[in-house]
Amino acid sequence: MALSPEIHVVQVVAEEMNSDDLMHQWNKFVAEPSRQAGRPVPELTVIRSPYREFFGPFLRYVRKLSLHHHGRQLAVVIPELVEVRWYNLFLRHRATLLKTMLRLQGNPQIVIINTPWYRKETHKKEESEIIR
């Protein structure tokens, strides 16, 4: 939220899966804390996608947003899970694929920001391995 007062959060949910979207928890964990901090509330967009397709619906959303905000830079923040073991990197390559697909669009308006995402249990395992 320090990057811009206008934040769009996108969640792509597979239609056939019985999973909750973020809307149920949005007010408690995002909207209310944002208001209390005196910041604008980020906009949540939930995209229902058939066949568990993620990339197509997300890329269409980014393209539509870039057309709507023509002349402005768009920063796409991509969290990338930091793995403890080097060989786990090959199992989780979605972030790399998404960055590549965004670059292939050839839109200079879109800036890609990669940010590490540490799970608490992953970080604790890593610390204990370093200590040994």
Side-chain angles (χ1 to χ4, degrees), residues 19 66 83 95 99 113 124 126 130:
S19 60
S66 71
E83 296 288 353
K99 289 183 286 187
I113 300 173
K124 287 179 182 176
E126 190 176 72
I130 290 172

Side-chain angles (χ1 to χ4, degrees), residues 69-127:
H69 295 288
H70 186 71
R72 286 177 52 191
Q73 291 289 124
L74 244 75
V76 178
V77 179
I78 301 174
E80 195 162 2
L81 183 62
V82 176
E83 296 288 353
V84 177
R85 309 234 188 288
W86 66 269
Y87 51 82
N88 288 343
L89 293 173
F90 299 109
L91 300 174
R92 301 188 192 269
H93 62 278
R94 284 188 177 162
T96 303
L97 185 56
L98 179 59
K99 289 183 286 187
T100 302
M101 294 176 91
L102 282 166
R103 286 185 186 112
L104 288 175
Q105 286 188 9
N107 189 341
Q109 182 182 356
I110 297 172
V111 176
I112 302 166
I113 300 173
N114 192 46
T115 181
W117 172 41
Y118 298 93
R119 291 187 303 187
K120 288 182 182 179
E121 59 273 5
T122 302
H123 189 63
K124 287 179 182 176
K125 284 180 192 175
E126 190 176 72
E127 284 178 356

Side-chain angles (χ1 to χ4, degrees), residues 10-84:
V10 181
Q11 179 187 19
V12 180
V13 179
E15 285 182 346
E16 73 272 1
M17 294 184 71
N18 190 13
S19 60
D20 287 334
D21 58 41
L22 295 173
M23 286 185 191
H24 298 29
Q25 301 171 14
W26 191 254
N27 192 47
K28 179 180 178 182
F29 292 111
V30 178
E32 198 51 44
S34 296
R35 285 187 201 98
Q36 289 175 359
R39 296 201 179 255
V41 177
E43 178 183 324
L44 172 64
T45 300
V46 177
I47 301 172
R48 302 276 174 203
S49 174
Y51 315 115
R52 298 182 186 182
E53 183 186 2
F54 170 78
F55 296 108
F58 182 77
L59 292 170
R60 283 189 292 277
Y61 178 82
V62 170
R63 197 173 307 119
K64 180 180 162 186
L65 200 60
S66 71
L67 290 172
H68 181 70
H69 295 288
H70 186 71
R72 286 177 52 191
Q73 291 289 124
L74 244 75
V76 178
V77 179
I78 301 174
E80 195 162 2
L81 183 62
V82 176
E83 296 288 353
V84 177

